[in-house]
């Protein structure tokens, strides 16, 4: 049971990430900064994250992943302390770059570490379970970040948001250090017991690996989904200011989006086949379109809560889809994970930058409508692709027994 504690650590790290992005946004809005500067925080993080992920993708492996994860936690603690001392925006953006390196050191190796732990003590991997728990973990973490920060910001000031983040980062480092042995082979284990466990445990990854490789489609869908989430996170402080929504309420609205994302990811733990079928991804995509339209049309706090919940349903399913197709073919998983992280970074740069420019010229609601159009185009293309592969998928379903 202790190996399941590893899913606590992405939550802690994303609490820090979500808190930092939220607090930086609030500080920029309070200073009267224009929308293009407000939306530059996430691209500053994401662009650096891309470069770091490309480098790490070449050197991280199953033997050194735990050390990289631990280093990322410790570095993030140092960066968080630096944020608490920084009272100028140039320093703030410089620390955002450092945060990008530290989060890359954590998240890319952690996905390999997660699979290693599933193998620990002879356990066979259950890919769907791992992805569901991972999606739940980091989503609830990034939901808790703005929620907690919104409360602390309003009552104690921005400095204390960062000081609490130091505690979260160090707690994650301590936990990884305590549990990293689960990712290593234990010489005292009986090889016969290990073989029996592997034989009887569910081998969903083997069944799914016979299906068509849709990693490329996951990259397209996941890239658009990342852009949607990052645009909402980057632009909503301005939308909140426009309709006089308090800092605490803004934190709760962003938290609602990520919390719903996490619970949808958990609900997909029983997934068997929807990732290859034509219609169900479309239904998830419609939630995203509805949420984005509501985000643009909304003029009160309850509209924004509903919009955030709808977007969370969409993002929870599509992030699951994104990670599933990257990991389902084991021979390409390390490369695919690296490309996934690069796509997250590119979407985090392009989405908010474009939203800042469009919103600055045409109004803060317009980027929501534009990206809703991209979601619509994506699900139409996804539907058409799955329809072309329908007969091949049906044959795989029959042969696999799923």
């Amino acid at each position: 049971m202790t190996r399941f504690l590893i899913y606590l650590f992405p939550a802690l790290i994303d609490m820090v990430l979500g808190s930092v992005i939220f607090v930086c946004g609030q500080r920029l809005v309070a200073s009267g900064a224009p929308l293009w500067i407000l939306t530059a925080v996430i691209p500053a993080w994401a662009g650096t994250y891309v470069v770091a992920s490309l480098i790490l993708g070449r050197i991280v492996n199953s033997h050194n992943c735990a050390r990289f994860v631990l280093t990322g936690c410790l570095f993030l603690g140092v960066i968080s302390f630096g944020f608490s001392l920084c009272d100028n925006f140039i320093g703030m953006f410089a620390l955002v770059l450092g945060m990008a390196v530290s989060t890359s050191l954590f998240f890319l190796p952690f996905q390999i570490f997660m699979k290693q732990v599933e193998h620990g003590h002879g356990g066979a991997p259950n890919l769907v379970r791992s992805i569901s728990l991972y999606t739940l973990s980091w989503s609830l973490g990034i939901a808790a970040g703005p929620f907690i920060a919104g409360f602390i910001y309003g009552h104690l000031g921005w400095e204390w948001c960062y000081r609490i983040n130091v505690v979260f980062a160090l707690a994650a480092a301590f936990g990884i250090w305590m549990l990293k042995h689960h990712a290593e082979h234990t010489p005292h284990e009986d090889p016969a017991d290990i073989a029996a466990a592997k034989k009887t445990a569910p081998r969903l990854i083997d069944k799914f690996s016979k299906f068509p490789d849709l990693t490329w489609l996951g990259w397209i869908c996941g890239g658009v989904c990342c852009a949607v989430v990052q645009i909402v996170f980057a632009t909503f402080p301005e939308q909140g200011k426009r309709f006089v929504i308090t800092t605490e309420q803004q934190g709760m609205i962003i938290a609602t989006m990520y919390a719903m994302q996490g619970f949808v990811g958990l609900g997909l733990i029983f997934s068997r086949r929807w990732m290859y079928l034509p219609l169900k991804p479309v239904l998830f995509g419609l939630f995203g379109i509805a949420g984005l339209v509501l985000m643009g049309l909304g003029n009160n706090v309850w509209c924004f809560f509903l919009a955030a919940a709808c977007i969370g349903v969409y993002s929870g399913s599509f992030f699951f889809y994104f990670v599933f197709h990257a990991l389902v073919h084991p021979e390409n998983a390390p490369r695919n994970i690296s490309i996934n992280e690069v796509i997250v970074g590119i979407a985090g740069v392009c989405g908010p930058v474009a939203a800042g420019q469009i919103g600055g010229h045409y109004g803060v609601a317009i980027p929501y409508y534009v990206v809703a159009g991209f979601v619509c185009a994506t699900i139409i293309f996804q539907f058409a692709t799955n329809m072309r592969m329908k007969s091949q998928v049906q044959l795989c379903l029959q042969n696999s027994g799923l």
Side-chain angles (χ1 to χ4, degrees), residues 136-153:
L136 174 70
S137 172
W138 74 262
S139 299
L140 291 186
I142 208 164
F147 182 84
I148 295 171
F151 179 82
I152 294 174
Y153 189 102

Side-chain angles (χ1 to χ4, degrees), residues 278-363:
L279 187 58
K280 290 184 179 180
V282 172
L283 297 177
F284 284 123
L286 292 177
F287 275 95
I289 295 171
L292 288 163
V293 171
L294 274 173
M295 191 65 74
L297 293 175
N299 58 10
N300 63 73
V301 68
W302 300 113
C303 275
F304 292 130
F305 270 117
L306 180 59
C310 288
I311 293 170
V313 172
Y314 159 71
S315 61
S317 59
F318 274 72
F319 276 128
F320 181 98
Y321 188 92
F322 184 48
V323 177
F324 173 85
H325 283 298
L327 294 178
V328 74
H329 296 279
E331 67 278 6
N332 297 323
R335 182 204 65 179
N336 292 345
I337 291 170
S338 177
I339 294 174
N340 273 22
E341 298 306 309
V342 170
I343 289 171
V344 170
I346 291 173
V349 172
C350 296
V353 166
Q357 294 299 317
I358 294 170
H361 287 87
Y362 303 106

Side-chain angles (χ1 to χ4, degrees), residues 113-133:
F113 179 68
M114 176 178 72
K115 289 185 69 178
Q116 287 295 106
V117 171
E118 285 290 342
H119 280 283
H121 302 293
N126 185 321
L127 183 65
V128 170
R129 181 184 63 201
S130 294
I131 296 171
S132 294
L133 293 175

Side-chain angles (χ1 to χ4, degrees), residues 159-182:
E159 298 93 341
W160 279 99
C161 299
Y162 299 126
R163 290 166 185 164
I164 294 296
N165 288 342
V166 175
V167 177
F168 292 148
L170 294 181
F174 178 75
I176 291 291
W177 181 74
M178 291 293 293
L179 296 180
K180 65 184 179 69
H181 64 280
H182 284 281

Side-chain angles (χ1 to χ4, degrees), residues 7-19 107 131-149 168 233 251-252 254-267 312 315-316 319:
Y7 295 103
L8 173 64
F9 308 131
L12 290 171
I13 298 303
D14 262 320
M15 283 173 70
V16 176
L17 178 61
S19 173
F107 282 108
I131 296 171
S132 294
L133 293 175
Y134 180 57
T135 303
L136 174 70
S137 172
W138 74 262
S139 299
L140 291 186
I142 208 164
F147 182 84
I148 295 171
F168 292 148
F233 204 167
M252 288 188 285
I254 295 297
T256 297
M257 179 176 71
Y258 283 109
M260 183 63 72
Q261 174 180 295
F263 288 123
V264 168
L266 180 63
S315 61
F319 276 128

Side-chain angles (χ1 to χ4, degrees), residues 6 10 31 46 50 83 90 101 111 131 138 140 146 172 187 277 323 328 362:
I6 64 165
S31 72
V50 168
F83 270 115
I90 294 176
V101 175
Q111 292 175 71
I131 296 171
W138 74 262
L140 291 186
L277 300 181
V323 177
V328 74
Y362 303 106

Side-chain angles (χ1 to χ4, degrees), residues 25-26 28-30 32-39 231-245 250 304 355-356 359-360 363-365 368:
Q26 294 299 319
L28 287 168
V29 167
L35 185 60
W36 70 269
I37 292 181
L38 172 64
T39 55
I231 286 170
V232 172
F233 204 167
T235 59
F236 189 69
E238 186 68 23
Q239 189 81 320
K241 177 184 176 182
R242 179 184 174 195
F243 294 105
V244 198
I245 298 173
Q250 289 184 47
F304 292 130
V364 70
Y368 301 130

